[in-house]
Amino acid sequence: MAGASSDLKLLGAGPSPYVNRVQIALNLKAINYEFLEEKFGSKSELLLKSNPVHKKIPVLIHGDKPICESLIIVQYIDEVWTSGPSILPSDPYDRALHRFWAAYIDDKDLRTAEGEKAKQLAVERIAEGMALLEDALGKCGKGKPFFGGDNVGYLDIAFGSSLGWLRATEKLAGVTLFNEAKTPGLVAWADAFSSHEAVKGVIPETDKLVELAKMFKARAQSQSAN
Amino acid sequence: MEEVKLLGTWSSPFSYRVLWALELKGIPYQYTEEDLYNKSPFLVKCNPVHKKIPVLVHGGKPICESMVILEYLDGPWPHNPLLPSDPYERAVARFWAKFADDKGTVIWTMFRSTGEEQKEAVKGSLEMLRTIEDLALGDKKFFGGERIGMVDLAFGALAHWLGVFEEIVGIRLLEPESFPRLHKWTKNFKEEPAIKENLPDKDKMLSNFRCLREKLLASP
Protein backbone atom coordinates (compact mmCIF):
# COMPACT_ATOMS: atom_id res chain seq x y z
CA MET A 1 0.00 0.00 0.00
CA ALA A 2 1.67 3.25 -1.09
CA GLY A 3 1.74 6.04 1.48
CA ALA A 4 -0.26 9.15 0.66
CA SER A 5 1.74 12.38 0.33
CA SER A 6 0.22 13.91 3.45
CA ASP A 7 1.03 10.82 5.47
CA LEU A 8 4.75 10.78 4.75
CA LYS A 9 7.24 13.62 5.11
CA LEU A 10 10.99 13.58 4.65
CA LEU A 11 12.99 16.31 6.37
CA GLY A 12 16.25 16.69 4.49
CA ALA A 13 18.53 18.55 2.14
CA GLY A 14 19.40 17.59 -1.45
CA PRO A 15 23.19 17.44 -1.13
CA SER A 16 23.19 15.13 1.92
CA PRO A 17 24.12 11.55 1.02
CA TYR A 18 22.27 10.38 4.14
CA VAL A 19 19.09 12.02 2.89
CA ASN A 20 19.74 10.57 -0.58
CA ARG A 21 19.71 7.08 0.95
CA VAL A 22 16.14 7.58 2.10
CA GLN A 23 15.04 9.13 -1.20
CA ILE A 24 16.44 6.16 -3.12
CA ALA A 25 14.65 3.69 -0.83
CA LEU A 26 11.35 5.57 -1.24
CA ASN A 27 11.83 5.61 -5.02
CA LEU A 28 12.56 1.86 -5.09
CA LYS A 29 9.21 1.24 -3.42
CA ALA A 30 7.44 3.89 -5.56
CA ILE A 31 6.20 5.70 -2.47
CA ASN A 32 4.86 9.27 -2.59
CA TYR A 33 6.08 11.66 0.05
CA GLU A 34 6.47 15.33 0.81
CA PHE A 35 10.04 16.61 0.85
CA LEU A 36 10.63 19.36 3.39
CA GLU A 37 13.93 21.04 2.65
CA GLU A 38 15.96 22.11 5.67
CA LYS A 39 17.88 25.31 5.02
CA PHE A 40 21.63 25.08 5.41
CA GLY A 41 22.77 26.68 8.67
CA SER A 42 19.43 26.56 10.47
CA LYS A 43 17.19 23.88 11.96
CA SER A 44 13.41 24.01 11.71
CA GLU A 45 11.09 23.62 14.69
CA LEU A 46 9.80 20.41 13.15
CA LEU A 47 13.32 18.95 12.93
CA LEU A 48 14.15 19.86 16.54
CA LYS A 49 10.85 18.34 17.70
CA SER A 50 11.23 15.18 15.57
CA ASN A 51 14.87 14.47 16.36
CA PRO A 52 15.53 15.99 19.78
CA VAL A 53 18.48 13.69 20.46
CA HIS A 54 20.63 14.46 17.41
CA LYS A 55 18.78 17.37 15.70
CA LYS A 56 19.94 15.99 12.34
CA ILE A 57 18.51 15.12 8.95
CA PRO A 58 17.20 12.89 7.50
CA VAL A 59 14.03 12.35 9.52
CA LEU A 60 11.11 10.45 8.05
CA ILE A 61 7.76 11.35 9.58
CA HIS A 62 5.14 8.65 8.98
CA GLY A 63 1.79 9.88 10.26
CA ASP A 64 2.91 11.36 13.55
CA LYS A 65 5.86 9.04 14.11
CA PRO A 66 9.41 10.27 13.45
CA ILE A 67 12.09 7.83 12.37
CA CYS A 68 15.73 8.97 12.54
CA GLU A 69 19.12 7.78 11.22
CA SER A 70 19.35 7.12 7.47
CA LEU A 71 19.95 3.36 7.49
CA ILE A 72 17.35 2.82 10.19
CA ILE A 73 14.87 4.71 8.01
CA VAL A 74 15.80 2.55 4.99
CA GLN A 75 15.13 -0.61 7.04
CA TYR A 76 11.84 0.83 8.28
CA ILE A 77 10.74 1.55 4.71
CA ASP A 78 11.65 -2.00 3.69
CA GLU A 79 9.70 -3.49 6.60
CA VAL A 80 6.54 -1.38 6.17
CA TRP A 81 6.18 -1.41 2.36
CA THR A 82 6.52 -5.12 1.73
CA SER A 83 4.77 -5.14 -1.66
CA GLY A 84 7.67 -3.34 -3.34
CA PRO A 85 11.04 -4.96 -4.18
CA SER A 86 12.99 -6.04 -1.07
CA ILE A 87 15.87 -3.87 0.00
CA LEU A 88 17.41 -6.15 2.64
CA PRO A 89 18.29 -9.65 1.39
CA SER A 90 16.00 -12.46 2.54
CA ASP A 91 18.77 -14.70 3.86
CA PRO A 92 19.89 -13.82 7.43
CA TYR A 93 23.57 -14.34 6.65
CA ASP A 94 23.40 -12.12 3.56
CA ARG A 95 21.63 -9.49 5.70
CA ALA A 96 24.52 -9.69 8.18
CA LEU A 97 27.03 -9.14 5.35
CA HIS A 98 25.14 -6.08 4.10
CA ARG A 99 24.90 -4.66 7.64
CA PHE A 100 28.58 -5.33 8.33
CA TRP A 101 29.72 -3.49 5.20
CA ALA A 102 27.24 -0.64 5.69
CA ALA A 103 28.69 -0.13 9.20
CA TYR A 104 32.20 -0.27 7.69
CA ILE A 105 31.29 2.44 5.17
CA ASP A 106 29.78 4.69 7.83
CA ASP A 107 32.83 4.27 10.07
CA LYS A 108 35.39 4.65 7.29
CA ASP A 109 36.43 8.20 6.62
CA LEU A 110 35.96 8.63 2.88
CA ARG A 111 37.17 12.21 2.80
CA THR A 112 40.54 13.41 1.55
CA ALA A 113 42.62 16.04 3.31
CA GLU A 114 44.54 19.20 2.64
CA GLY A 115 48.29 19.14 2.07
CA GLU A 116 50.21 16.73 -0.15
CA LYS A 117 51.29 14.27 2.55
CA ALA A 118 47.90 14.18 4.29
CA LYS A 119 46.15 13.86 0.93
CA GLN A 120 48.39 10.96 -0.04
CA LEU A 121 47.61 9.12 3.21
CA ALA A 122 43.90 9.80 2.81
CA VAL A 123 43.91 8.47 -0.75
CA GLU A 124 45.74 5.33 0.41
CA ARG A 125 43.18 4.83 3.16
CA ILE A 126 40.28 5.23 0.72
CA ALA A 127 41.98 2.89 -1.79
CA GLU A 128 42.29 0.26 0.93
CA GLY A 129 38.55 0.55 1.61
CA MET A 130 37.72 0.37 -2.10
CA ALA A 131 39.76 -2.84 -2.46
CA LEU A 132 37.81 -4.46 0.38
CA LEU A 133 34.51 -3.30 -1.09
CA GLU A 134 35.50 -4.66 -4.52
CA ASP A 135 35.95 -8.02 -2.83
CA ALA A 136 32.65 -7.63 -0.95
CA LEU A 137 30.86 -6.87 -4.22
CA GLY A 138 31.97 -10.23 -5.55
CA LYS A 139 30.90 -12.07 -2.38
CA CYS A 140 27.56 -10.28 -1.90
CA GLY A 141 26.59 -9.79 -5.53
CA LYS A 142 27.88 -13.18 -6.66
CA GLY A 143 28.67 -11.90 -10.14
CA LYS A 144 25.53 -9.82 -10.51
CA PRO A 145 25.60 -6.02 -11.05
CA PHE A 146 24.67 -4.94 -7.49
CA PHE A 147 25.63 -5.83 -3.92
CA GLY A 148 21.98 -6.85 -3.72
CA GLY A 149 22.37 -9.12 -6.75
CA ASP A 150 20.02 -8.33 -9.64
CA ASN A 151 18.43 -5.47 -7.71
CA VAL A 152 19.63 -2.44 -5.78
CA GLY A 153 19.85 -3.49 -2.14
CA TYR A 154 20.73 -2.14 1.29
CA LEU A 155 24.50 -2.06 0.78
CA ASP A 156 24.13 -0.51 -2.68
CA ILE A 157 22.16 2.31 -1.08
CA ALA A 158 24.57 2.66 1.86
CA PHE A 159 27.63 2.95 -0.38
CA GLY A 160 26.08 4.36 -3.56
CA SER A 161 24.70 7.40 -1.76
CA SER A 162 28.29 8.63 -1.35
CA LEU A 163 29.08 8.46 -5.08
CA GLY A 164 28.30 12.14 -5.65
CA TRP A 165 30.75 13.31 -3.01
CA LEU A 166 33.35 10.70 -3.98
CA ARG A 167 33.30 12.03 -7.55
CA ALA A 168 33.43 15.61 -6.28
CA THR A 169 36.47 14.64 -4.19
CA GLU A 170 38.15 13.20 -7.29
CA LYS A 171 37.74 16.57 -9.03
CA LEU A 172 38.65 18.76 -6.05
CA ALA A 173 41.70 16.78 -4.96
CA GLY A 174 42.78 15.72 -8.45
CA VAL A 175 42.81 12.03 -7.54
CA THR A 176 41.29 8.86 -8.97
CA LEU A 177 39.32 6.82 -6.48
CA PHE A 178 37.47 4.58 -8.96
CA ASN A 179 40.25 2.77 -10.77
CA GLU A 180 39.31 0.60 -13.76
CA ALA A 181 42.44 -1.52 -13.30
CA LYS A 182 42.22 -2.01 -9.53
CA THR A 183 38.47 -2.06 -8.89
CA PRO A 184 36.74 -2.88 -12.19
CA GLY A 185 33.70 -4.31 -10.43
CA LEU A 186 33.10 -1.09 -8.50
CA VAL A 187 33.56 1.02 -11.64
CA ALA A 188 30.84 -0.97 -13.41
CA TRP A 189 28.71 -0.96 -10.26
CA ALA A 190 28.97 2.83 -9.90
CA ASP A 191 27.66 3.26 -13.45
CA ALA A 192 24.84 0.78 -12.96
CA PHE A 193 23.83 2.37 -9.66
CA SER A 194 23.95 5.96 -10.89
CA SER A 195 21.82 5.18 -13.93
CA HIS A 196 19.21 3.16 -12.01
CA GLU A 197 15.65 4.55 -12.17
CA ALA A 198 15.42 4.97 -8.41
CA VAL A 199 18.72 6.83 -8.20
CA LYS A 200 18.57 9.14 -11.23
CA GLY A 201 17.94 12.72 -10.15
CA VAL A 202 18.54 12.03 -6.46
CA ILE A 203 22.30 12.46 -6.10
CA PRO A 204 23.24 16.00 -7.17
CA GLU A 205 25.51 16.53 -10.18
CA THR A 206 29.22 16.34 -9.37
CA ASP A 207 29.85 19.92 -10.52
CA LYS A 208 27.17 21.21 -8.16
CA LEU A 209 28.76 19.37 -5.24
CA VAL A 210 32.20 20.74 -6.23
CA GLU A 211 30.72 24.27 -6.10
CA LEU A 212 29.12 23.56 -2.71
CA ALA A 213 32.39 22.22 -1.31
CA LYS A 214 34.21 25.36 -2.44
CA MET A 215 31.49 27.50 -0.85
CA PHE A 216 31.68 25.60 2.48
CA LYS A 217 35.45 25.93 2.49
CA ALA A 218 35.32 29.67 1.80
CA ARG A 219 32.70 30.13 4.50
CA ALA A 220 34.76 28.14 7.04
CA GLN A 221 37.88 30.11 6.22
CA SER A 222 36.15 33.49 6.57
CA GLN A 223 34.61 32.37 9.87
CA SER A 224 37.95 31.30 11.29
CA ALA A 225 39.54 34.53 10.12
CA ASN A 226 36.99 36.67 12.00
CA MET B 1 21.69 -28.13 13.99
CA GLU B 2 24.76 -26.25 12.85
CA GLU B 3 27.54 -25.53 15.27
CA VAL B 4 27.80 -22.12 16.92
CA LYS B 5 31.12 -20.70 18.10
CA LEU B 6 31.75 -17.45 19.91
CA LEU B 7 35.18 -15.83 19.89
CA GLY B 8 35.38 -13.33 22.73
CA THR B 9 37.24 -12.00 25.73
CA TRP B 10 36.22 -12.18 29.39
CA SER B 11 36.46 -8.44 29.98
CA SER B 12 34.72 -7.04 26.91
CA PRO B 13 31.14 -5.74 27.14
CA PHE B 14 30.83 -6.26 23.36
CA SER B 15 31.67 -9.92 23.78
CA TYR B 16 29.08 -10.17 26.54
CA ARG B 17 26.34 -8.63 24.39
CA VAL B 18 26.53 -11.71 22.19
CA LEU B 19 27.06 -14.18 25.03
CA TRP B 20 23.98 -12.85 26.85
CA ALA B 21 21.93 -13.08 23.64
CA LEU B 22 22.95 -16.73 23.14
CA GLU B 23 22.09 -17.50 26.78
CA LEU B 24 18.72 -15.69 26.57
CA LYS B 25 17.79 -17.70 23.49
CA GLY B 26 19.14 -20.94 24.94
CA ILE B 27 21.43 -21.48 21.94
CA PRO B 28 24.23 -23.99 22.62
CA TYR B 29 27.62 -22.58 21.70
CA GLN B 30 31.32 -23.21 22.05
CA TYR B 31 33.19 -20.28 23.59
CA THR B 32 36.83 -19.50 22.81
CA GLU B 33 38.72 -16.94 24.90
CA GLU B 34 40.90 -14.87 22.57
CA ASP B 35 44.18 -13.23 23.57
CA LEU B 36 44.05 -9.84 21.88
CA TYR B 37 47.80 -9.34 22.31
CA ASN B 38 48.38 -12.59 20.45
CA LYS B 39 45.47 -13.01 18.04
CA SER B 40 44.71 -16.51 16.87
CA PRO B 41 44.98 -17.34 13.14
CA PHE B 42 41.33 -18.41 13.33
CA LEU B 43 40.22 -14.97 14.60
CA VAL B 44 42.20 -13.21 11.87
CA LYS B 45 40.71 -15.55 9.26
CA CYS B 46 37.16 -14.92 10.52
CA ASN B 47 37.53 -11.16 10.87
CA PRO B 48 40.26 -10.06 8.46
CA VAL B 49 38.88 -6.51 8.19
CA HIS B 50 38.93 -5.54 11.88
CA LYS B 51 40.63 -8.50 13.63
CA LYS B 52 38.36 -7.87 16.61
CA ILE B 53 36.05 -9.80 18.89
CA PRO B 54 33.27 -10.72 19.21
CA VAL B 55 32.92 -13.02 16.23
CA LEU B 56 30.07 -15.49 15.93
CA VAL B 57 30.72 -18.48 13.69
CA HIS B 58 27.55 -20.29 12.61
CA GLY B 59 28.02 -23.44 10.57
CA GLY B 60 31.50 -22.26 9.65
CA LYS B 61 30.35 -18.80 8.50
CA PRO B 62 31.68 -15.82 10.51
CA ILE B 63 29.57 -12.80 11.52
CA CYS B 64 31.41 -9.78 12.96
CA GLU B 65 30.41 -6.65 14.92
CA SER B 66 28.31 -7.21 18.05
CA MET B 67 25.19 -5.35 16.86
CA VAL B 68 25.30 -7.08 13.44
CA ILE B 69 25.45 -10.39 15.32
CA LEU B 70 22.48 -9.45 17.53
CA GLU B 71 20.40 -8.52 14.45
CA TYR B 72 21.42 -11.84 12.89
CA LEU B 73 20.35 -14.09 15.76
CA ASP B 74 16.57 -13.52 15.44
CA GLY B 75 16.80 -14.97 11.89
CA PRO B 76 17.79 -18.60 12.55
CA TRP B 77 16.47 -18.49 16.18
CA PRO B 78 13.22 -16.51 16.23
CA HIS B 79 12.13 -17.54 19.75
CA ASN B 80 12.74 -15.02 22.57
CA PRO B 81 13.20 -12.31 19.92
CA LEU B 82 15.74 -9.56 20.60
CA LEU B 83 13.82 -7.09 18.44
CA PRO B 84 10.12 -6.21 18.56
CA SER B 85 7.93 -7.27 15.64
CA ASP B 86 6.36 -3.85 14.88
CA PRO B 87 8.41 -1.89 12.28
CA TYR B 88 8.21 1.40 14.20
CA GLU B 89 9.21 -0.27 17.48
CA ARG B 90 12.10 -1.89 15.61
CA ALA B 91 13.23 1.50 14.30
CA VAL B 92 13.14 2.91 17.84
CA ALA B 93 15.14 -0.07 19.15
CA ARG B 94 17.73 0.30 16.40
CA PHE B 95 17.97 4.03 17.15
CA TRP B 96 18.87 3.43 20.79
CA ALA B 97 21.21 0.56 19.98
CA LYS B 98 23.07 2.89 17.60
CA PHE B 99 23.06 5.60 20.28
CA ALA B 100 24.66 3.14 22.72
CA ASP B 101 27.42 2.41 20.21
CA ASP B 102 28.01 5.98 19.00
CA LYS B 103 27.85 7.75 22.37
CA GLY B 104 29.13 4.97 24.63
CA THR B 105 32.76 5.71 23.72
CA VAL B 106 32.69 8.87 25.85
CA ILE B 107 32.68 6.66 28.96
CA TRP B 108 35.80 4.90 27.71
CA THR B 109 37.39 8.33 27.13
CA MET B 110 36.61 9.25 30.73
CA PHE B 111 38.27 6.05 31.87
CA ARG B 112 41.47 6.40 29.84
CA SER B 113 42.13 10.14 30.31
CA THR B 114 42.97 12.76 32.88
CA GLY B 115 42.69 16.53 33.29
CA GLU B 116 40.78 18.62 30.77
CA GLU B 117 40.08 15.68 28.44
CA GLN B 118 38.57 13.70 31.30
CA LYS B 119 36.48 16.68 32.44
CA GLU B 120 34.98 16.98 28.94
CA ALA B 121 34.34 13.22 28.86
CA VAL B 122 32.59 13.34 32.25
CA LYS B 123 30.35 16.13 30.95
CA GLY B 124 29.62 14.10 27.80
CA SER B 125 28.92 10.97 29.81
CA LEU B 126 26.43 12.76 32.06
CA GLU B 127 24.65 14.19 29.01
CA MET B 128 24.45 10.72 27.53
CA LEU B 129 23.00 9.25 30.73
CA ARG B 130 20.52 12.14 30.96
CA THR B 131 19.27 11.45 27.42
CA ILE B 132 18.79 7.76 28.17
CA GLU B 133 17.08 8.51 31.49
CA ASP B 134 14.69 11.07 30.02
CA LEU B 135 13.97 9.68 26.57
CA ALA B 136 14.87 6.03 26.16
CA LEU B 137 13.52 4.03 29.06
CA GLY B 138 10.17 5.54 30.00
CA ASP B 139 8.47 3.54 32.77
CA LYS B 140 9.29 0.15 31.29
CA LYS B 141 11.16 -2.49 33.22
CA PHE B 142 13.54 -3.01 30.34
CA PHE B 143 14.27 -1.06 27.14
CA GLY B 144 12.72 -4.05 25.41
CA GLY B 145 9.55 -3.83 27.53
CA GLU B 146 8.75 -6.75 29.81
CA ARG B 147 11.67 -8.80 28.53
CA ILE B 148 15.31 -8.00 27.83
CA GLY B 149 15.90 -7.04 24.19
CA MET B 150 18.62 -5.81 21.90
CA VAL B 151 18.75 -2.32 23.43
CA ASP B 152 19.21 -3.69 26.96
CA LEU B 153 22.14 -5.76 25.70
CA ALA B 154 23.55 -2.74 23.86
CA PHE B 155 23.50 -0.74 27.12
CA GLY B 156 24.79 -3.69 29.15
CA ALA B 157 28.14 -1.99 29.82
CA LEU B 158 26.31 0.64 31.90
CA ALA B 159 25.06 -2.06 34.27
CA HIS B 160 28.40 -3.64 35.10
CA TRP B 161 31.44 -1.99 33.49
CA LEU B 162 30.53 1.60 34.37
CA GLY B 163 30.64 0.85 38.11
CA VAL B 164 34.13 -0.57 37.73
CA PHE B 165 35.35 2.46 35.77
CA GLU B 166 33.74 4.83 38.29
CA GLU B 167 35.55 3.12 41.16
CA ILE B 168 38.92 3.23 39.39
CA VAL B 169 38.80 6.91 38.36
CA GLY B 170 36.99 7.96 41.55
CA ILE B 171 34.12 9.71 39.76
CA ARG B 172 30.47 8.75 40.34
CA LEU B 173 28.27 9.26 37.30
CA LEU B 174 25.22 7.04 37.72
CA GLU B 175 23.83 8.47 40.98
CA PRO B 176 20.47 6.86 41.92
CA GLU B 177 18.91 10.23 42.82
CA SER B 178 19.91 11.78 39.49
CA PHE B 179 19.07 8.77 37.34
CA PRO B 180 16.37 6.77 39.17
CA ARG B 181 15.03 4.93 36.12
CA LEU B 182 18.44 3.96 34.78
CA HIS B 183 19.61 2.93 38.22
CA LYS B 184 16.56 0.69 38.68
CA TRP B 185 17.17 -0.76 35.21
CA THR B 186 20.76 -1.77 36.14
CA LYS B 187 19.34 -3.71 39.11
CA ASN B 188 16.60 -5.40 37.03
CA PHE B 189 19.03 -6.21 34.25
CA LYS B 190 21.54 -7.91 36.54
CA GLU B 191 18.79 -9.87 38.32
CA GLU B 192 17.82 -11.74 35.13
CA PRO B 193 19.29 -15.26 35.42
CA ALA B 194 20.86 -15.25 31.94
CA ILE B 195 22.72 -12.05 32.87
CA LYS B 196 23.35 -12.74 36.56
CA GLU B 197 25.01 -16.07 35.81
CA ASN B 198 27.14 -14.51 33.08
CA LEU B 199 28.97 -11.50 34.45
CA PRO B 200 32.74 -11.13 34.70
CA ASP B 201 34.06 -11.18 38.27
CA LYS B 202 34.12 -7.64 39.68
CA ASP B 203 37.43 -7.95 41.54
CA LYS B 204 39.09 -9.44 38.49
CA MET B 205 37.70 -6.52 36.44
CA LEU B 206 38.96 -3.93 38.93
CA SER B 207 42.43 -5.41 38.86
CA ASN B 208 42.47 -5.80 35.07
CA PHE B 209 41.15 -2.34 34.23
CA ARG B 210 43.28 -0.62 36.86
CA CYS B 211 46.32 -2.14 35.21
CA LEU B 212 45.05 -1.20 31.75
CA ARG B 213 44.46 2.43 32.76
CA GLU B 214 48.02 2.73 34.04
CA LYS B 215 49.30 1.30 30.80
CA LEU B 216 47.20 3.67 28.69
CA LEU B 217 48.19 6.75 30.68
CA ALA B 218 51.86 5.81 30.52
CA SER B 219 51.99 5.36 26.75
CA PRO B 220 52.26 8.50 24.56
Side-chain angles (χ1 to χ4, degrees):
Chain A
M1 186 179 82
S5 278
S6 58
D7 200 31
L8 204 58
K9 294 177 173 61
L10 174 60
L11 303 185
S16 160
Y18 302 106
V19 172
N20 293 161
R21 286 171 171 177
V22 179
Q23 289 171 296
I24 293 165
L26 290 166
N27 287 350
L28 279 170
K29 302 274 192 182
I31 300 166
N32 291 322
Y33 63 98
E34 192 186 347
F35 187 78
L36 298 173
E37 181 107 26
E38 286 286 319
K39 284 191 182 58
F40 179 74
S42 75
K43 293 178 201 258
S44 71
E45 274 303 306
L46 184 57
L47 174 60
L48 296 174
K49 194 182 107 182
S50 309
N51 191 356
V53 177
H54 302 301
K55 306 173 178 61
K56 282 182 174 176
I57 50 157
V59 179
L60 186 74
I61 306 177
H62 189 193
D64 58 354
K65 297 191 263 201
I67 301 108
C68 309
E69 299 289 339
S70 61
L71 292 179
I72 294 175
I73 299 170
V74 170
Q75 289 175 89
Y76 175 81
I77 289 166
D78 199 34
E79 289 173 7
V80 172
W81 284 276
T82 51
S83 59
S86 273
I87 294 174
L88 267 290
S90 51
D91 175 70
Y93 189 72
D94 288 337
R95 280 202 293 272
L97 284 180
H98 277 237
R99 287 195 169 109
F100 173 85
W101 287 111
Y104 175 84
I105 283 154
D106 271 355
D107 288 343
K108 186 96 176 166
D109 195 349
L110 292 175
R111 298 165 301 171
T112 60
E114 294 295 311
E116 273 316 299
K117 185 87 198 285
K119 188 163 79 166
Q120 183 56 30
L121 285 169
V123 170
E124 275 167 23
R125 190 189 64 239
I126 297 173
E128 181 190 272
M130 299 287 276
L132 287 173
L133 286 162
E134 173 82 6
D135 194 53
L137 180 59
K139 293 206 170 77
C140 294
K142 301 173 181 99
K144 302 267 174 78
F146 299 108
F147 288 92
D150 285 314
N151 299 313
V152 165
Y154 184 73
L155 185 49
D156 298 282
I157 295 173
F159 186 29
S161 53
S162 58
L163 279 172
W165 282 105
L166 284 171
R167 298 240 186 268
T169 298
E170 284 182 320
K171 277 201 170 164
L172 284 160
V175 296
T176 305
L177 301 173
F178 284 86
N179 189 317
E180 180 71 54
K182 291 182 184 165
T183 56
L186 285 179
V187 171
W189 167 81
D191 276 336
F193 184 81
S194 305
S195 52
H196 190 280
E197 273 309 302
V199 178
K200 271 196 300 214
V202 173
I203 300 174
E205 291 295 319
T206 309
D207 289 332
K208 182 170 178 227
L209 293 175
V210 166
E211 283 309 306
L212 265 171
K214 286 178 180 166
M215 191 194 80
F216 292 152
K217 188 174 169 185
R219 208 175 271 194
Q221 279 173 345
S222 71
Q223 273 170 1
S224 63
N226 288 343
Chain B
M1 228 272 292
E2 288 178 319
E3 197 185 38
V4 175
K5 291 184 184 173
L6 171 61
L7 309 183
T9 60
W10 72 272
S11 59
S12 162
F14 303 101
S15 185
Y16 271 87
R17 283 173 174 178
V18 180
L19 195 147
W20 288 328
L22 294 169
E23 291 287 333
L24 283 164
K25 284 180 174 283
I27 300 167
Y29 61 98
Q30 185 197 55
Y31 177 78
T32 301
E33 177 73 24
E34 286 288 331
D35 177 359
L36 296 181
Y37 295 101
N38 189 16
K39 294 178 185 183
S40 72
F42 186 58
L43 170 59
V44 176
K45 184 173 143 222
C46 287
N47 192 355
V49 177
H50 300 300
K51 303 175 182 59
K52 282 182 176 178
I53 54 96
V55 178
L56 189 85
V57 189
H58 184 202
K61 295 199 277 195
I63 300 124
C64 310
E65 296 293 306
S66 61
M67 296 318 297
V68 175
I69 298 169
L70 293 190
E71 284 263 15
Y72 172 77
L73 291 175
D74 274 358
W77 296 280
H79 62 283
N80 292 354
L82 298 174
L83 278 146
S85 51
D86 173 70
Y88 180 68
E89 301 293 319
R90 289 161 78 83
V92 173
R94 286 175 174 139
F95 176 88
W96 289 111
K98 184 168 201 290
F99 181 88
D101 263 356
D102 290 346
K103 300 291 183 189
T105 51
V106 70
I107 291 184
W108 181 251
T109 304
M110 179 198 75
F111 169 75
R112 64 148 183 75
S113 63
T114 55
E116 215 33 63
E117 196 187 358
Q118 192 184 52
K119 258 203 196 133
E120 279 305 302
V122 167
K123 188 162 163 254
S125 298
L126 288 168
E127 277 166 13
M128 184 195 80
L129 294 175
R130 177 57 47 205
T131 301
I132 301 167
E133 173 79 16
D134 290 349
L135 298 176
L137 195 49
D139 293 315
K140 296 176 294 185
K141 186 179 182 192
F142 297 114
F143 293 94
E146 279 306 302
R147 287 185 310 109
I148 287 179
M150 185 174 80
V151 180
D152 299 274
L153 301 183
F155 281 128
L158 295 179
H160 195 61
W161 277 256
L162 179 57
V164 169
F165 294 169
E166 284 173 336
E167 198 171 318
I168 293 170
V169 302
I171 301 169
R172 191 79 200 276
L173 292 178
L174 190 42
E175 304 261 20
E177 311 82 49
S178 305
F179 303 100
R181 287 177 177 146
L182 204 42
H183 188 257
K184 197 160 161 222
W185 170 80
T186 64
K187 298 261 171 285
N188 288 331
F189 184 73
K190 295 215 281 189
E191 278 303 300
E192 281 296 298
I195 310 297
K196 193 172 183 178
E197 289 154 26
N198 294 288
L199 284 171
D201 176 73
K202 195 170 172 213
D203 288 329
K204 206 174 161 194
M205 289 244 280
L206 278 165
S207 162
N208 174 75
F209 282 104
R210 221 164 233 142
C211 198
L212 180 57
R213 181 164 197 257
E214 274 166 30
K215 211 185 272 187
L216 289 168
L217 289 177
S219 59

